[in-house]
Amino acid sequence: MTIARPIPAAAPGRARLTQLLGTALPVYALLLVLLAALAVTDPSFYEPDRLLAFVRRAAPLVLLAAGQYLVIVSGHFDLSVGAVVTTGVVVAAEIYDAFPGAHWLVVTGALLLAGAAVGVVNGLVTTALGVPSFITTLGMMLILEGGVFYWTGGSPRGSLPDDFRAIGRDDVLGLPWAVVVCLAAGVAVALLMRARFGRTLMATGDSERAAELSGVRTHRVRVAVFVLSGAVAALAAVLVGGFSGVSAQAGSGMEFEAITAVVLGGVLLGGGRGSVVGAMAGAFALTALFTLLNLRGVSGALEPTVQGVIVIAAVAIGAADWSRLRRRSTTTGGPAA
């Protein structure tokens, strides 16, 4: 006679550590490997000036990854963030061209409000009209890019004053302002995810129907994450303008880089799983990878190819891990994470 033995549950401490680091652990290891490879390839890379330049260059993508993380965890995409970055940089230059004495806080606040307004439109069209977020935000991306090209003719006017560019290129207490902004954004999103909003967001991304049955107003949650994503993209535009100056292609392709960074950080594209720290680490890892390829003399034209490989591999691995986790939860009788 065979007696079934219960499968022992994982220790609480181990389960908690797995929950915090499990999905993002590979990207931390990858980031360490890439940083070591950069040191071997170019020993001068870690000189203060060059290292800080690398961090400033990575900062806008890190911000976009944090905003994109919120949208993807809810089960959606935001393809408009790159166009929001471009529009923000161009609009700021046009404002200063018309009002040279405008205060940088006023201009920055106007950009944040405009980015949030784009998020409101994306969220309402997606939730109220039922248009898939991929289509909604793709359409918004084309609208913004077309509007910028029509407005500027491909050559933006004006320039950005030093006080506006300070956040993107200056330091405070030995740290770049860009790092301070990224840390503040990361802490804010992490605290948000630990609050009730974060729990409802995870529940919505995991199963919208189950979340609605439990009383969650999923439409409001999803509109909120699009608003946050748009505002964060506008803040990234301030960093891009400070670091790179005015360009009609300032945010070109950054939406796909942000999505790549998020999936590289172990966030499940279907929603309901992942950490913002992993997503932001994915942005640093992606920037480090492109920097390494550039130092190795690999053509920048291959960057989209590299992104495509990363997305396919990361999603495939994440989907396989998620399937195994669900099967294990079903076998042990526990709830699927």
Side-chain angles (χ1 to χ4, degrees):
M1 179 177 178
T2 303
I3 300 176
R5 297 181 179 178
I7 299 174
R14 180 180 175 185
R16 191 177 298 112
L17 181 62
T18 301
Q19 182 181 5
L20 290 174
L21 299 179
T23 59
L25 190 57
V27 77
Y28 301 143
L30 175 62
L31 182 57
L32 290 176
V33 170
L34 290 171
L35 292 176
L38 285 169
V40 172
T41 303
D42 183 8
S44 65
F45 177 79
Y46 286 98
E47 293 179 357
D49 289 344
R50 294 194 59 188
L51 183 59
L52 291 180
F54 166 79
V55 172
R56 291 190 186 96
R57 188 167 61 251
L61 182 57
V62 173
L63 276 182
L64 290 180
Q68 193 73 242
Y69 161 80
L70 292 171
V71 179
I72 289 179
V73 160
S74 75
H76 287 280
F77 294 93
D78 189 352
L79 298 181
S80 67
V81 293
V84 171
V85 171
T86 299
T87 304
V89 172
V90 171
V91 167
E94 294 283 349
I95 290 175
Y96 279 114
D97 185 57
F99 305 98
H103 196 283
W104 70 272
L105 277 176
V106 175
V107 177
T108 300
L111 294 183
L112 293 178
L113 289 175
V118 171
V120 170
V121 175
N122 286 337
L124 290 178
V125 172
T126 298
T127 57
L129 300 183
V131 179
S133 60
F134 184 89
I135 301 300
T136 300
T137 57
L138 177 62
M140 181 61 73
M141 177 183 74
L142 296 175
I143 290 171
L144 292 176
E145 288 181 348
V148 166
F149 185 80
Y150 177 79
W151 188 14
T152 66
S155 301
R157 294 174 311 211
S159 59
L160 301 174
D162 290 340
D163 58 352
F164 182 85
R165 299 189 65 179
I167 295 180
R169 64 180 182 178
D170 288 351
D171 301 339
V172 56
L173 300 177
L175 281 177
W177 268 112
V179 172
V180 176
V181 171
C182 287
L183 287 174
V187 169
V189 174
L191 292 176
L192 187 66
M193 294 305 295
R194 292 178 65 87
R196 184 167 181 253
F197 177 83
R199 294 192 294 272
T200 58
L201 180 59
M202 284 288 190
T204 300
D206 187 45
S207 174
E208 180 176 7
R209 180 59 178 164
E212 289 176 345
L213 291 175
S214 65
V216 175
R217 297 181 177 180
T218 57
H219 283 21
R220 290 188 179 182
V221 171
R222 284 177 163 159
V223 170
V225 296
F226 278 108
V227 171
L228 290 172
S229 177
V232 168
L235 183 57
V238 177
L239 297 186
V240 171
F243 181 78
S244 303
V246 182
S247 169
Q249 303 294 325
S252 179
M254 293 190 76
E255 61 280 346
F256 297 110
E257 291 180 4
I259 293 174
T260 304
V262 170
V263 299
L264 187 60
V267 180
L268 191 69
L269 277 184
R273 187 183 68 158
S275 74
V276 65
V277 178
M280 297 172 81
F284 273 114
L286 192 63
T287 305
L289 176 60
F290 290 156
T291 302
L292 179 62
L293 293 177
N294 182 58
L295 291 175
R296 291 285 186 179
V298 178
S299 172
L302 287 177
E303 287 187 5
T305 302
V306 174
Q307 289 185 58
V309 172
I310 290 174
V311 169
I312 293 173
V315 171
I317 293 172
D321 289 345
W322 187 240
S323 298
R324 284 196 295 271
L325 180 60
R326 283 189 176 276
R327 287 198 299 270
R328 186 181 307 147
S329 299
T330 303
T331 302
T332 58

